[in-house]
mmCIF file of all heavy atoms in Angstrom:
data_model
loop_
_atom_site.group_PDB
_atom_site.id
_atom_site.type_symbol
_atom_site.label_atom_id
_atom_site.label_comp_id
_atom_site.label_asym_id
_atom_site.label_seq_id
_atom_site.Cartn_x
_atom_site.Cartn_y
_atom_site.Cartn_z
ATOM 1 N N GLY P 169 0.135 -9.453 5.494
ATOM 2 C CA GLY P 169 0.044 -10.864 5.225
ATOM 3 C C GLY P 169 -0.180 -11.670 6.491
ATOM 4 O O GLY P 169 -0.607 -11.155 7.553
ATOM 5 N N LEU P 170 0.125 -12.975 6.428
ATOM 6 C CA LEU P 170 -0.049 -13.867 7.556
ATOM 7 C C LEU P 170 0.758 -13.423 8.741
ATOM 8 O O LEU P 170 0.304 -13.417 9.886
ATOM 9 C CB LEU P 170 0.319 -15.307 7.182
ATOM 10 C CG LEU P 170 0.189 -16.326 8.323
ATOM 11 C CD1 LEU P 170 -1.238 -16.431 8.841
ATOM 12 C CD2 LEU P 170 0.715 -17.682 7.789
ATOM 13 N N ARG P 171 1.981 -13.028 8.483
ATOM 14 C CA ARG P 171 2.889 -12.572 9.571
ATOM 15 C C ARG P 171 2.251 -11.362 10.269
ATOM 16 O O ARG P 171 2.239 -11.258 11.505
ATOM 17 C CB ARG P 171 4.234 -12.187 9.010
ATOM 18 C CG ARG P 171 5.220 -11.693 10.034
ATOM 19 C CD ARG P 171 6.481 -11.157 9.336
ATOM 20 N NE ARG P 171 7.407 -10.523 10.279
ATOM 21 C CZ ARG P 171 8.317 -9.653 9.920
ATOM 22 N NH1 ARG P 171 8.491 -9.324 8.625
ATOM 23 N NH2 ARG P 171 9.120 -9.084 10.757
ATOM 24 N N GLY P 172 1.724 -10.402 9.515
ATOM 25 C CA GLY P 172 1.127 -9.241 10.079
ATOM 26 C C GLY P 172 -0.079 -9.564 10.937
ATOM 27 O O GLY P 172 -0.276 -9.010 12.018
ATOM 28 N N ARG P 173 -0.871 -10.521 10.516
ATOM 29 C CA ARG P 173 -2.111 -10.912 11.272
ATOM 30 C C ARG P 173 -1.702 -11.583 12.562
ATOM 31 O O ARG P 173 -2.350 -11.377 13.617
ATOM 32 C CB ARG P 173 -2.986 -11.836 10.404
ATOM 33 C CG ARG P 173 -3.605 -11.098 9.183
ATOM 34 C CD ARG P 173 -4.726 -11.916 8.613
ATOM 35 N NE ARG P 173 -4.254 -13.147 7.990
ATOM 36 C CZ ARG P 173 -3.784 -13.237 6.777
ATOM 37 N NH1 ARG P 173 -3.804 -12.175 5.976
ATOM 38 N NH2 ARG P 173 -3.369 -14.420 6.266
ATOM 39 N N ILE P 174 -0.663 -12.420 12.499
ATOM 40 C CA ILE P 174 -0.258 -13.112 13.724
ATOM 41 C C ILE P 174 0.358 -12.122 14.763
ATOM 42 O O ILE P 174 -0.026 -12.184 15.947
ATOM 43 C CB ILE P 174 0.811 -14.186 13.355
ATOM 44 C CG1 ILE P 174 0.190 -15.326 12.540
ATOM 45 C CG2 ILE P 174 1.491 -14.704 14.625
ATOM 46 C CD1 ILE P 174 1.183 -16.325 12.021
ATOM 47 N N VAL P 175 1.210 -11.239 14.261
ATOM 48 C CA VAL P 175 1.782 -10.214 15.173
ATOM 49 C C VAL P 175 0.718 -9.291 15.777
ATOM 50 O O VAL P 175 0.749 -9.011 16.982
ATOM 51 C CB VAL P 175 2.860 -9.385 14.457
ATOM 52 C CG1 VAL P 175 3.347 -8.289 15.330
ATOM 53 C CG2 VAL P 175 4.028 -10.296 14.064
ATOM 54 N N THR P 176 -0.278 -8.886 14.950
ATOM 55 C CA THR P 176 -1.333 -8.091 15.459
ATOM 56 C C THR P 176 -2.131 -8.796 16.500
ATOM 57 O O THR P 176 -2.489 -8.175 17.539
ATOM 58 C CB THR P 176 -2.290 -7.707 14.310
ATOM 59 O OG1 THR P 176 -1.553 -6.869 13.345
ATOM 60 C CG2 THR P 176 -3.464 -6.841 14.803
ATOM 61 N N ALA P 177 -2.423 -10.047 16.308
ATOM 62 C CA ALA P 177 -3.156 -10.804 17.325
ATOM 63 C C ALA P 177 -2.369 -10.932 18.654
ATOM 64 O O ALA P 177 -2.950 -10.784 19.761
ATOM 65 C CB ALA P 177 -3.483 -12.228 16.801
ATOM 66 N N ILE P 178 -1.081 -11.136 18.527
ATOM 67 C CA ILE P 178 -0.232 -11.189 19.732
ATOM 68 C C ILE P 178 -0.252 -9.805 20.438
ATOM 69 O O ILE P 178 -0.309 -9.779 21.674
ATOM 70 C CB ILE P 178 1.207 -11.581 19.355
ATOM 71 C CG1 ILE P 178 1.243 -13.079 18.862
ATOM 72 C CG2 ILE P 178 2.145 -11.445 20.538
ATOM 73 C CD1 ILE P 178 2.550 -13.506 18.270
ATOM 74 N N CYS P 179 -0.143 -8.766 19.695
ATOM 75 C CA CYS P 179 -0.136 -7.406 20.285
ATOM 76 C C CYS P 179 -1.476 -7.156 21.032
ATOM 77 O O CYS P 179 -1.476 -6.584 22.142
ATOM 78 C CB CYS P 179 0.053 -6.351 19.210
ATOM 79 S SG CYS P 179 1.721 -6.358 18.541
#
Side-chain angles (χ1 to χ4, degrees):
L170 178 61
R171 180 188 172 201
R173 293 193 294 273
I174 292 172
V175 172
T176 297
I178 293 172
C179 289

